[in-house]
């Protein structure tokens, strides 16, 4: 969590270069746009109450709208681990894949659609969200999604659905397609003026009970697939940095973000 915290703080620091601990003013607010699936969603609606200093999550109330109830990493970073005022615009939707035409998630609002919504709503830097390259951070956590509940019965099980892909596609050929699609979406945010990007990688879902129950071969095959995905994600981020030297991109390995993983494993993988 330290990593994430210091990363969001970096956004504040760069706008108040001389003051490493900007406590006083609210001139350092960070516009935090997030995209992803159930790990990230807070039920935010672009047409509801917008984030403001007195209500940094906008809507719904902090601690509601998440997949499992309570706060998730977005709420935590916005309101608890923040080094300055953070305003959160969270476009993530549970069940999302990167692009339904590549891997079908369990929502129409895949990551590509979330970026469409960003384009339609916030890319023009409206008066309600006057973000700039310096004061905004774009967070992506994708690569995991829910199986369609109709396939699994009443119990919500979570699987890595690069994942749904892992059963029937080859990691070495397919994950580059997924990551290329992700890169194209990041490129669109860049075109709109975003320069600071944060990526959370895919946590070790291979060791979740759902996969363990299917035996070691599945666990191993899945872990291998996941490793390829995460490697491709890292390569994409490195490539993007090389081609966009005015940008800051950072990957947070979810493995080291212990509090997130613990709470996710307890609340999501086991439910
Ligand atoms: C900054 O603080 C002022 C006065 O408290 C408030 O009116 C304004 O909305 C704040 N702006 C931001 C972006 O936080
Ligand atoms: C962190 O966010 C909360 C909620 O918006 C705010 O009350 C608090 O002042 C922020 N902390 C700092 C250090 O700016
Ligand atoms: C699975 O792997 C673990 C550790 O490598 C081993 O102890 C266990 O016996 C294996 N189970 C099966 C069913 O092969």
């Amino acid at each position: 969590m330290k990593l994430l915290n210091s990363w969001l703080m970096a956004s504040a620091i760069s706008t108040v270069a001389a003051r490493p601990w900007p406590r006083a003013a609210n001139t350092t607010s960070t516009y935090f746009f997030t995209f992803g699936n159930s790990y990230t969603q807070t039920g935010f609606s672009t047409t509801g109450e917008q984030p403001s200093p007195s209500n940094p999550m906008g809507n719904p109330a902090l601690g509601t709208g998440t997949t499992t109830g309570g706060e998730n990493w977005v709420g935590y970073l916005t309101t608890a681990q923040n080094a300055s005022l953070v305003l959160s615009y969270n476009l993530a939707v549970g069940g999302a894949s990167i692009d339904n035409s590549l891997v079908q998630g369990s929502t129409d609002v895949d990551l590509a659609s979330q970026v469409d919504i960003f384009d339609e709503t916030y890319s023009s830097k409206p008066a309600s969200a006057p973000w700039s390259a310096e004061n905004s951070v774009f967070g992506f956590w994708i690569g995991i999604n829910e199986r369609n509940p109709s396939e699994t019965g009443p119990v919500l099980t979570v699987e890595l659905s690069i994942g749904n892909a892992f059963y029937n596609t080859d990691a070495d050929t397919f994950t580059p397609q997924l990551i290329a699609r992700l890169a194209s979406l990041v490129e669109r945010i860049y075109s709109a003026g975003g320069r600071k990007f944060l990526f959370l990688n895919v946590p070790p879902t291979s060791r979740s009970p759902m996969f363990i129950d299917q035996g070691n071969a599945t666990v191993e095959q899945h872990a291998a697939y996941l490793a390829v995905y995460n490697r491709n994600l890292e390569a994409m981020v490195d490539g993007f940095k090389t081609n966009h030297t005015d940008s800051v991109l950072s990957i947070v390995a979810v493995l080291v973000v212990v509090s997130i993983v613990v709470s996710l494993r307890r609340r999501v993988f086991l439910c």
Side-chain angles (χ1 to χ4, degrees):
M1 191 50 78
K2 274 251 154 50
L3 268 179
L4 283 173
N5 177 21
S6 56
W7 208 89
L8 270 186
M9 215 165 77
S11 150
I13 288 169
S14 68
T15 57
V16 195
R19 245 188 286 161
W21 304 104
R23 290 268 167 213
N26 65 0
T27 52
T28 57
S29 49
T30 297
Y31 293 87
F32 187 30
F33 295 96
T34 43
F35 304 86
N37 51 38
S38 61
Y39 290 7
T40 301
Q41 85 164 43
T42 56
F44 178 74
S45 162
T46 57
T47 56
E49 183 179 343
Q50 294 300 288
S52 64
S54 61
N55 179 13
M57 301 295 288
N59 73 85
L62 178 66
T64 66
T66 57
T67 313
T68 55
E71 292 175 34
N72 67 13
W73 70 283
V74 173
Y76 192 55
L77 285 187
T78 299
T79 65
Q81 289 295 306
N82 53 313
S84 65
L85 178 66
V86 176
L87 302 178
S88 168
Y89 302 80
N90 185 2
L91 303 176
V93 175
S97 62
I98 291 171
D99 185 328
N100 281 337
S101 70
L102 291 171
V103 173
Q104 181 67 47
S106 59
T107 173
D108 290 340
V109 192
D110 55 14
L111 194 74
S113 305
Q114 293 169 27
V115 172
D116 287 343
I117 291 167
F118 171 81
D119 270 344
E120 288 154 15
T121 316
Y122 298 117
S123 71
S124 64
K125 308 183 177 75
S128 61
W131 61 275
S132 68
E134 294 73 31
N135 70 9
S136 59
V137 173
F138 294 84
F140 293 85
W141 196 6
I142 195 73
I144 313 138
N145 65 26
E146 293 82 0
R147 208 180 247 191
N148 187 329
S150 68
E151 294 169 19
T152 57
V155 179
L156 177 71
T157 55
V158 176
E159 79 169 30
L160 185 82
S161 280
I162 51 182
N164 282 334
F166 125 85
Y167 286 116
N168 52 24
T169 63
D170 178 58
D172 291 330
T173 57
F174 193 66
T175 60
Q177 290 179 47
L178 291 171
I179 297 294
R181 184 67 176 122
L182 175 60
S184 76
L185 298 172
V186 175
E187 190 73 54
R188 273 171 59 193
I189 307 279
Y190 180 89
S191 299
R195 292 294 180 272
K196 297 175 185 178
F197 300 92
L198 174 66
F199 298 88
L200 279 71
N201 73 2
V202 176
T205 46
S206 315
R207 295 201 295 270
S208 66
M210 182 188 140
F211 286 110
I212 289 173
D213 288 351
Q214 295 176 44
N216 282 357
T218 300
V219 168
E220 276 166 27
Q221 190 188 357
H222 185 263
Y225 195 100
L226 192 145
V228 175
Y229 178 90
N230 282 339
R231 270 204 306 279
N232 278 294
L233 177 64
E234 283 166 31
M236 185 278 280
V237 164
D238 287 346
F240 202 95
K241 277 187 207 162
T242 304
N243 297 330
H244 305 77
T245 51
D246 58 347
S247 297
V248 182
L249 288 85
S250 184
I251 292 191
V252 173
V254 174
L255 254 180
V256 305
V257 185
V258 174
S259 57
I260 290 179
V261 173
V262 168
S263 94
L264 283 176
R265 297 184 100 182
R266 293 253 161 77
R267 292 176 176 174
V268 182
F269 297 148
L270 302 182
C271 74

